[in-house]
Amino acid sequence: MADQGDWSCDANDAVQLSIVQPGDQKPVTADLFHPQFTYSIFGDEEQIFGYKGLIVRLRFAAHDLRTHVHISYDEKFKAVGDAAATDLNKTLRDWIPEFAFTRLPDYEKAVQNDENAKDFVPPGKLVHSYQSKNRNYEIWAGSLADSAVCKLLARAQVFVPFFIEAGTPLVLDDPEWTLERWTIYFVYEKTTPPTPTASQYMFIGYSTTYRWWFYPEQKGERGVVKDSVFPYPEEIRFSTLPSRLRIAQFLILPSHQGAGHGSQLYTTIHKATIADDTIIELTVEDPNEAFDVLRDSADYHTLYPDLMKQDININPSPYPADAGKRRPRHVPTATLIPTEKLNKIRSQYKIAPTQFAHILEMFLLKRIPHPKRAAGGANMARLLTKKHKADDENERRYYWWRMLLKQRLYKRSRDILIQLDLPERIQKLDETATNVEEGYEALLTVFDAREKGRATAAPAPEADEAVFAATPVRFKRKYAVEDDEDDEGNEQPERAEVAKRPKV
């Protein structure tokens, strides 16, 4: 009997995903790519046993994502005892809807002769149009309670196990009031149809968002009991209740990544959040490092003009002038940065507290001249000796910046840090602060390069995004201590050095 290892193949190589359009005689492939993950379907080893020359083709119609599965191979392993080839149809049916398992001729005929393709428009409403590399794109948004949105999402979710690590498809047969919580965003390229009867739309990505009820602070009503009618006389709509908006799934197809579509999609969602009076803030469900960079980039450039306009900076001399030698032991945060003003800015832009803190820390670090920072060669030994007594006010700003950062990190992980001996606690906190600062410096370097490029060559924003996405920045907003507690019970946990499987 042949070695069973000869019958195993890499699932990521065997699976082919393609976008197809009508051609002169039959559908043609407009885009072809392989999955990034297959472990959720074929196991952690991402291996398929029992075939030689195996190809698992997953085709999607460019406009409405009509799906088809076609499996071909040169040779199949003959079962010996308990050893048998993977039942591909059975395995895939747990992840791919039944409608995808039709005969290939029937599928090709349906795509080639789709009478409705010419008049197809994405479901929902058009919320944003933009250009990238002289090509036209549109973003459409609709409620999951809309049957057309639900149908398209059911097809788009086939991509989830292949590209969203630890992602799971949404349950689409929930009650209507639950579906109303969800808003789905679809990104399409608007092209010249390949044939007179073909659609002008080509799918390139999507995102799902849902509302998470926010319990508002009751001012002046603590302990007050109210008489009210039960049951409530009017139907309560979730869309009218105060909520946080959370991004759950976020995907741009591989061949379209690096062209700014992710930033366009995130910014569109953020603007919709700001415009909705019932939404308190925007959060993200388990982002991975790539999404962290995208989000930080978008939020930084959104907040930067306002922070500069209001001249937000660290006060280098927080002690009162008459304090003399007996200075207060504790320095209130409000004496270092304008906390009240910053809270108003955060609320205005509806950015979650932890995310806002990251952007603010990057901004304040940027305001300190580069030679006065560790990345610019600052004399750290002298800084540790002089501290707030340094002659140069920017050196004092840098000292207070690190203190503010450590303060936030300590509050975040206090329950873990207090279990350590004081010397180890100080060491861990300092290592973590340095790690976070390095991550900020890496991002600021990319942001600076982008701004310089705009000032000199004035490229289009989407070209900048392509450069940015291709820059091998390893985000270092990682923590030397792990904290799984949510920020105020709703924001996602801080990044830890322990790897996790994110959903976005």
Side-chain angles (χ1 to χ4, degrees):
M1 183 178 67
D3 183 0
Q4 292 188 13
D6 296 338
W7 292 90
S8 293
C9 63
D10 188 303
N12 291 342
D13 291 335
V15 176
Q16 293 182 359
L17 302 107
S18 60
I19 304 296
V20 298
Q21 292 178 305
D24 292 336
Q25 301 296 328
K26 64 178 184 177
V28 295
T29 300
D31 197 2
L32 178 67
F33 43 91
H34 290 274
Q36 187 174 356
F37 314 108
T38 52
Y39 65 85
S40 58
I41 300 176
F42 298 108
D44 290 342
E45 299 300 321
E46 298 186 322
Q47 295 287 308
I48 300 175
F49 174 74
Y51 302 89
K52 290 185 177 180
L54 175 66
I55 302 178
V56 180
R57 295 180 176 88
L58 272 169
R59 295 181 174 92
F60 300 84
H63 65 297
D64 64 0
L65 298 183
R66 184 193 297 265
T67 314
H68 182 260
V69 178
H70 181 257
I71 301 169
S72 64
Y73 50 85
D74 297 332
E75 194 175 351
K76 184 175 180 179
F77 180 80
K78 294 181 180 180
V80 178
D82 294 335
T86 303
D87 187 337
L88 293 173
N89 279 307
K90 181 180 178 181
T91 301
L92 292 171
R93 273 183 163 85
D94 291 337
W95 294 92
I96 299 172
E98 187 65 31
F99 57 70
F101 295 86
T102 59
R103 293 175 61 251
L104 179 58
D106 294 339
Y107 176 77
E108 291 185 339
K109 182 179 179 180
V111 172
Q112 184 71 17
N113 303 317
D114 186 352
E115 296 179 354
N116 299 319
K118 183 178 180 181
D119 300 321
F120 171 86
V121 293
K125 66 177 181 179
L126 177 63
V127 294
H128 182 54
S129 300
Y130 63 98
Q131 284 192 331
S132 176
K133 299 179 181 178
N134 297 318
R135 296 162 72 172
N136 299 315
Y137 297 89
E138 296 178 351
I139 298 178
W140 293 69
S143 167
L144 194 52
D146 182 337
S147 60
V149 172
C150 193
K151 180 179 179 180
L152 183 58
L153 179 63
R155 296 174 175 180
Q157 287 192 135
V158 175
F159 292 113
V160 168
F162 297 116
F163 295 106
I164 301 181
E165 195 172 2
T168 54
L170 302 184
V171 177
L172 303 179
D173 56 358
D174 277 347
E176 183 176 346
W177 71 268
T178 300
L179 297 179
E180 285 182 349
R181 297 171 54 203
W182 293 83
T183 300
I184 315 301
Y185 292 81
F186 299 107
V187 186
Y188 274 87
E189 180 180 2
K190 198 170 184 180
T191 66
T192 301
T195 66
T197 59
S199 172
Q200 60 182 331
Y201 285 98
M202 179 180 291
F203 175 88
I204 66 166
Y206 80 103
S207 179
T208 62
T209 67
Y210 66 94
R211 299 172 67 97
W212 186 262
W213 185 62
F214 174 81
Y215 186 78
E217 181 180 355
Q218 302 294 322
K219 296 182 179 180
E221 295 185 0
R222 183 171 297 177
V224 176
V225 178
K226 293 183 178 181
D227 292 328
S228 58
V229 178
F230 183 83
Y232 198 69
E234 299 177 6
E235 182 181 5
I236 299 177
R237 310 294 295 189
F238 209 103
S239 59
T240 65
L241 299 177
S243 307
R244 284 182 170 92
L245 188 71
R246 187 169 289 182
I247 297 174
Q249 298 171 347
F250 193 100
L251 172 67
I252 302 296
L253 296 183
S255 52
H256 294 278
Q257 293 173 8
H261 304 301
S263 294
Q264 292 282 353
L265 180 54
Y266 175 80
T267 302
T268 299
I269 295 171
H270 190 190
K271 288 181 178 179
T273 301
I274 295 174
D276 191 332
D277 293 337
T278 65
I279 298 178
I280 308 303
E281 64 190 26
L282 177 64
T283 63
V284 182
E285 184 176 297
D286 278 349
N288 61 18
E289 289 187 8
F291 190 87
D292 279 333
V293 174
L294 183 151
R295 183 188 185 192
D296 284 346
S297 173
D299 288 345
Y300 181 86
H301 288 92
T302 296
L303 290 172
Y304 185 87
D306 217 353
L307 294 174
M308 284 297 295
K309 180 180 179 181
Q310 303 205 37
D311 195 26
I312 302 299
N313 208 342
I314 296 174
N315 176 12
S317 304
Y319 292 113
D322 57 353
K325 294 183 179 180
R326 300 191 61 181
R327 289 171 174 161
R329 181 178 178 184
H330 300 290
V331 178
T333 304
T335 63
L336 288 168
I337 53 177
T339 53
E340 185 175 344
K341 184 183 294 185
L342 289 170
N343 282 330
K344 290 181 180 179
I345 295 174
R346 186 193 73 79
S347 298
Q348 175 187 348
Y349 287 96
K350 301 184 180 181
I351 295 177
T354 301
Q355 175 66 7
F356 185 80
H358 296 151
I359 302 304
L360 177 63
E361 287 163 2
M362 272 194 288
F363 174 81
L364 293 174
L365 181 63
K366 171 66 176 175
R367 298 217 68 182
I368 300 170
H370 191 257
K372 303 298 181 181
R373 307 182 331 230
N379 189 328
M380 298 302 291
R382 184 177 66 189
L383 182 70
L384 291 174
T385 302
K386 291 284 189 178
K387 299 182 179 179
H388 61 273
K389 299 178 182 178
D391 296 330
D392 190 301
E393 69 173 22
N394 284 311
E395 290 183 354
R396 298 199 300 274
R397 280 196 175 95
Y398 183 54
Y399 166 77
W400 287 119
W401 181 87
R402 286 185 62 86
M403 292 297 290
L404 287 168
L405 174 60
K406 290 179 180 180
Q407 172 186 254
R408 182 177 67 81
L409 298 179
Y410 181 81
K411 288 180 178 179
R412 184 109 194 141
S413 303
R414 181 182 180 277
D415 291 344
I416 299 173
L417 288 169
I418 59 176
Q419 300 176 36
L420 306 176
D421 293 335
L422 183 59
E424 186 179 1
R425 187 188 313 167
I426 294 173
Q427 179 186 359
K428 284 287 187 183
L429 195 56
D430 190 67
E431 289 174 353
T432 303
T434 299
N435 199 6
V436 173
E437 182 179 352
E438 289 176 357
Y440 290 160
E441 291 285 6
L443 288 174
L444 289 172
T445 299
V446 176
F447 298 161
D448 287 346
R450 178 189 301 177
E451 292 305 318
K452 288 178 181 177
R454 285 175 176 167
T456 55
E462 56 270 17
D464 291 338
E465 286 295 338
V467 173
F468 170 65
T471 304
V473 174
R474 290 295 296 169
F475 192 68
K476 292 187 178 180
R477 192 199 296 164
K478 297 180 181 178
Y479 284 64
V481 289
E482 183 178 4
D483 178 17
D484 289 330
E485 295 296 324
D486 281 353
D487 179 24
E488 298 181 353
N490 288 280
E491 177 63 306
Q492 68 276 8
E494 291 287 1
R495 287 69 171 165
E497 288 184 335
V498 179
K500 61 183 180 180
R501 292 187 183 277
K503 295 181 182 177
V504 175

